[in-house]
Amino acid sequence: GQGVGGGGGSGGGGTEIRDIDLSGAQTIDDIRSAIEAAGVGARVAISEDGSGLDIFNSISGRTLSVEEIPGGPQTATQLGLRTFTGNTAVASFNAGRGVRIVDNVSDVQTGTPTRALNTDLRVSLGNGQFFDVDLRPADMLTVQTVIDRINAEFAAAVGSQLNPSAPALVAGQFAASLGDGPNGIVLTETPATGGGIKVSTLNNSPAADQLGLLSLTAVGGAGSGSVVSQDRLGLRVDSVLSALVALRDALLANNVSGITVAGEDLSKARERLQVARGVVGGYGQRVADQQARLEDQDVLDSSIRSSLMDTDFAEASTRLSALSTQLEAGLRAAGIAQGRTLFDFLR
């Protein structure tokens, strides 16, 4: 089985999750019918090249995600329908805006880049110890490359004690991974401590927020030591309604970056509306021109019909006879003229 979730904004319809049982599916159409019957606005179609399945969100103002059921057989991944995988491009996060990082920032005194100025986020463990993560352009390729970088930064920090009042980091104490169930990057602390894992922003980098790491949710039950990031890869209809819902949510959450993004979406929607108005206006002008031509044609047809209905057939017959005689005379004269040569005038 697989889980299909449609998420509403705050103050809206909330989150709807449907578990879909595909154990009885025998054909692709059975899979399509089962997913579409879940009632979350999902639409399934065979891809244009015929190599797989595509899933679409048909409801504006909501995001649609496909994830695994924890401990399940990874059906969504095998079908290629899971919306958050290790191979998913980071560029597709946040409705295709990707994730921005702080990179190559130089110290104003030395003129050279320093690690302290280029770190993007801080991971704090439940015992109070923490380590910093510097995300580089090479790390922002896929979800897996991001996970690998976070783990590499922890491994490099093992033995350090940046917080002198907390125990030093030890190997195996932390791991980042792809979630087995809910979509997102899973951060796990072993053994679990009461404080829980937290992620914060460094150097005003938007990376933590855009990766969904500022909104962590516990997974695996209370005390498991695992949290999962917010899914920033949900499918969203690019429409005015979606932009308005995003703006409402950002305003309610006092999310400045969200307000900016929603404003950009509204501006793009306005541009599309202006283009659509221009196209419709052009079509309207063509319809008006055609209507004017049809009206002129109707007037001409009425005039011809009227002249035919009011014809004096006796007079018309006489005129036809006279015109026929003139035509015949003209044809004879032309025939005689064509038969003449220069020698006829030299005699």
Side-chain angles (χ1 to χ4, degrees):
Q2 63 188 42
V4 179
S10 40
T15 300
E16 296 182 30
I17 298 177
R18 300 286 188 275
D19 291 341
I20 300 174
D21 183 6
L22 299 179
S23 59
Q26 299 295 322
T27 65
I28 294 297
D29 193 58
D30 292 339
I31 296 174
R32 178 193 62 79
S33 298
I35 295 175
E36 294 182 354
V40 293
R43 181 171 61 85
V44 180
I46 297 176
S47 59
E48 292 184 358
D49 60 4
S51 63
L53 296 175
D54 292 334
I55 190 164
F56 303 90
N57 181 10
S58 59
I59 300 179
S60 293
R62 304 178 67 185
T63 57
L64 181 96
S65 300
V66 180
E67 58 190 25
E68 301 289 357
I69 293 177
Q74 304 293 302
T75 307
T77 302
Q78 294 178 31
L79 289 172
L81 292 177
R82 187 176 184 181
T83 54
F84 197 115
T85 70
N87 293 325
T88 303
V90 174
S92 61
F93 273 65
N94 304 297
R97 293 182 178 84
V99 175
R100 293 187 294 113
I101 61 174
V102 173
D103 184 58
N104 203 32
V105 178
S106 299
D107 185 280
V108 293
Q109 295 181 346
T110 64
T112 58
T114 63
R115 174 178 171 82
L117 295 175
N118 288 279
T119 49
D120 295 275
L121 56 94
R122 172 168 293 174
V123 179
S124 300
L125 303 184
N127 63 2
Q129 195 54 259
F130 61 83
F131 66 95
D132 297 339
V133 178
D134 176 16
L135 295 171
R136 306 160 302 180
D139 305 318
M140 308 310 292
L141 301 179
T142 66
V143 171
Q144 190 59 53
T145 59
V146 172
I147 292 174
D148 291 343
R149 179 58 177 174
I150 296 174
N151 286 329
E153 288 285 66
F154 168 75
V158 167
S160 64
Q161 195 173 7
L162 298 179
N163 180 3
S165 61
L169 297 173
V170 297
Q173 185 177 4
F174 169 87
S177 62
L178 181 67
D180 174 46
N183 286 342
I185 297 175
V186 175
L187 308 179
T188 302
E189 180 184 14
T190 306
T193 57
I197 297 176
K198 295 180 178 62
V199 176
S200 56
T201 295
L202 295 176
N203 296 313
N204 292 320
S205 171
D209 179 40
Q210 293 175 357
L211 285 169
L213 289 170
L214 293 185
S215 301
L216 300 174
T217 305
V219 294
S224 67
S226 294
V227 291
V228 63
S229 67
Q230 187 180 43
D231 182 3
R232 291 301 183 91
L233 282 166
L235 307 177
R236 193 186 69 164
V237 179
D238 188 10
S239 67
V240 176
L241 180 58
S242 295
L244 289 173
V245 171
L247 178 61
R248 179 202 64 188
D249 294 344
L251 288 171
L252 292 174
N254 196 26
N255 185 338
V256 177
S257 62
I259 294 172
T260 302
V261 169
E264 294 174 354
D265 287 344
L266 285 174
S267 296
K268 293 177 182 178
R270 183 177 58 186
E271 293 174 0
R272 291 197 299 268
L273 178 59
Q274 291 174 345
V275 172
R277 289 179 62 184
V279 172
V280 172
Y283 287 151
Q285 185 61 48
R286 290 172 60 183
V287 171
D289 293 343
Q290 185 64 27
Q291 185 176 10
R293 286 194 293 270
L294 290 175
E295 291 175 352
D296 293 341
Q297 186 65 42
D298 287 342
V299 172
L300 179 60
D301 292 344
S302 297
S303 176
I304 295 174
R305 183 170 61 251
S306 177
S307 64
L308 291 175
M309 293 178 65
D310 297 339
T311 298
D312 185 342
F313 289 99
E315 179 184 356
S317 177
T318 301
R319 289 183 59 192
L320 178 61
S321 178
L323 291 173
S324 298
T325 300
Q326 291 176 11
L327 177 60
E328 184 178 354
L331 293 175
R332 285 189 177 186
I336 294 173
Q338 290 178 355
R340 297 290 184 177
T341 65
L342 181 62
F343 295 103
D344 293 328
F345 297 97
L346 294 178
R347 291 177 182 175

